[in-house]
Amino acid sequence: MIKIENLSIGYLQKNHTKVVASDFNATLNGGELTCLIGANGVGKSTLLRTLSAFQPPLAGHIYVNDKELSRYTDKELARIIGVVLTKRPHIANMTVTEMIGLGRSPYTGFWGTLDSEDTKIVNEAIQLVGIEDLADRMIQTLSDGEKQKVMIAKALAQQTPVIYLDEPTAFLDFPSKVEMMQLLLRLSRETGKTIFLSTHDLELALQIADRLWLMDRTEGLTVGTPRELADSGHLGRYIERKKGIRFDAENLVIHIKKD
């Protein structure tokens, strides 16, 4: 579904180009949950923005269905890639169903009216995420976790084969983090979509993700299953870069030393 070749990411500034990371090669597959991990400041958000076409790559190629990302129009991209950001919507006086209905805007126009087929798709998205009990609630009355589920349902209503999420478990308590990751894994299986998310919840990613993209300033981008990255030593080097932390590669468990 998604393929990157010799990708370099960063920013074009007035007098120079700031390269954040370079020479990335990887693929994202349909029906899989892939987690992007790495230290703060390594460029995870920049990579997500580049893959989402929010900013251009500095070099290299991004292919979606064997077509260069830059060759898609904005309207076409809105039907291919859905994006769920960390920032929660600051919207009042709108119901959950109305918010999710905005996911149909690539097909109806922003002020378009939903027909019976659009309404059916919205209701199916609500059922997939399991938020039927929230359908008539006002957005401002929801918790952070509930709002995040609404934004995922909105992305599902957009009916894109690809969904990117930036820190979807941020600001959630632990049970809600687990529930969110389980939900995304289930959606990847049930819908066949390519679901790609950045996260700092490493222990959850190790247990739930089908594949990991590990960004590192020294080693670049390393891709594989949690088992593969543990066996190769990449996870151990990343996790144990700070004193007092030990990675059990055999069991994919992180231990913290108390003394």
Side-chain angles (χ1 to χ4, degrees):
M1 179 62 66
I2 308 292
K3 183 178 181 180
I4 62 175
E5 292 183 351
N6 303 317
L7 183 68
S8 294
I9 59 174
Y11 304 91
L12 297 173
Q13 300 179 332
K14 280 188 176 181
N15 299 318
H16 70 285
T17 299
K18 180 181 179 181
V19 179
V20 173
S22 60
D23 299 322
F24 283 1
N25 293 277
T27 58
L28 289 169
N29 302 313
E32 288 186 352
L33 175 64
T34 303
C35 291
L36 173 64
I37 60 175
N40 285 331
V42 76
K44 297 190 299 297
S45 293
T46 303
L47 177 57
L48 267 177
R49 286 195 296 268
T50 305
L51 293 176
S52 304
F54 292 165
Q55 67 183 69
L58 298 180
H61 305 277
I62 303 170
Y63 297 101
V64 181
N65 290 335
D66 297 321
K67 180 178 177 179
E68 190 94 33
L69 182 66
S70 60
R71 294 178 55 200
Y72 286 95
T73 66
D74 289 344
K75 185 175 182 179
E76 288 172 334
L77 283 174
R79 297 185 180 195
I80 294 172
I81 298 173
V83 181
V84 180
L85 301 175
T86 304
K87 188 176 181 181
R88 306 291 186 267
H90 296 290
I91 296 176
N93 302 319
M94 178 179 285
T95 68
V96 164
T97 299
E98 289 169 340
M99 168 64 79
I100 296 170
L102 294 179
R104 301 301 299 158
S105 60
Y107 308 91
T108 65
F110 188 80
W111 300 111
T113 302
L114 303 187
D115 61 20
S116 59
E117 181 62 22
D118 293 316
T119 300
K120 177 183 176 184
I121 291 169
V122 168
N123 289 333
E124 287 175 348
I126 289 172
Q127 292 169 7
L128 271 172
V129 180
I131 53 173
E132 295 93 333
D133 58 325
L134 303 180
D136 297 323
R137 291 266 302 274
M138 304 301 287
I139 290 293
Q140 68 269 23
T141 69
L142 304 180
S143 68
D144 282 342
E146 290 170 336
K147 287 179 181 177
Q148 191 70 306
K149 288 181 181 179
V150 170
M151 299 313 292
I152 291 171
K154 177 175 173 288
L156 290 174
Q158 197 174 331
Q159 286 195 312
T160 59
V162 180
I163 299 178
Y164 296 143
L165 304 100
D166 187 15
E167 292 286 346
T169 57
F171 313 119
L172 302 181
D173 58 37
F174 186 74
S176 297
K177 289 176 187 285
V178 174
E179 182 184 29
M180 182 62 63
M181 293 292 278
Q182 290 174 328
L183 167 64
L184 293 171
L185 179 64
R186 176 172 61 80
L187 290 175
S188 71
R189 299 290 193 269
E190 293 181 0
T191 65
K193 295 181 185 295
T194 300
I195 299 184
F196 181 62
L197 64 95
S198 65
T199 183
H200 285 295
D201 290 313
L202 180 56
E203 290 179 290
L204 284 179
L206 290 176
Q207 295 182 61
I208 290 180
D210 293 303
R211 295 173 70 80
L212 298 175
W213 284 24
L214 172 59
M215 286 185 70
D216 183 84
R217 289 185 177 89
T218 302
E219 301 187 12
L221 180 67
T222 307
V223 177
T225 65
R227 178 77 273 151
E228 289 169 345
L229 295 193
D231 291 344
S232 67
H234 286 90
L235 278 174
R237 288 191 292 275
Y238 167 63
I239 293 169
E240 295 178 351
R241 68 191 188 282
K242 298 290 186 180
K243 291 183 178 180
I245 303 174
R246 184 176 64 84
F247 178 56
D248 179 350
E250 182 178 351
N251 297 301
L252 300 179
V253 174
I254 300 170
H255 298 283
I256 300 174
K257 298 178 182 178
K258 295 182 179 180
D259 49 17

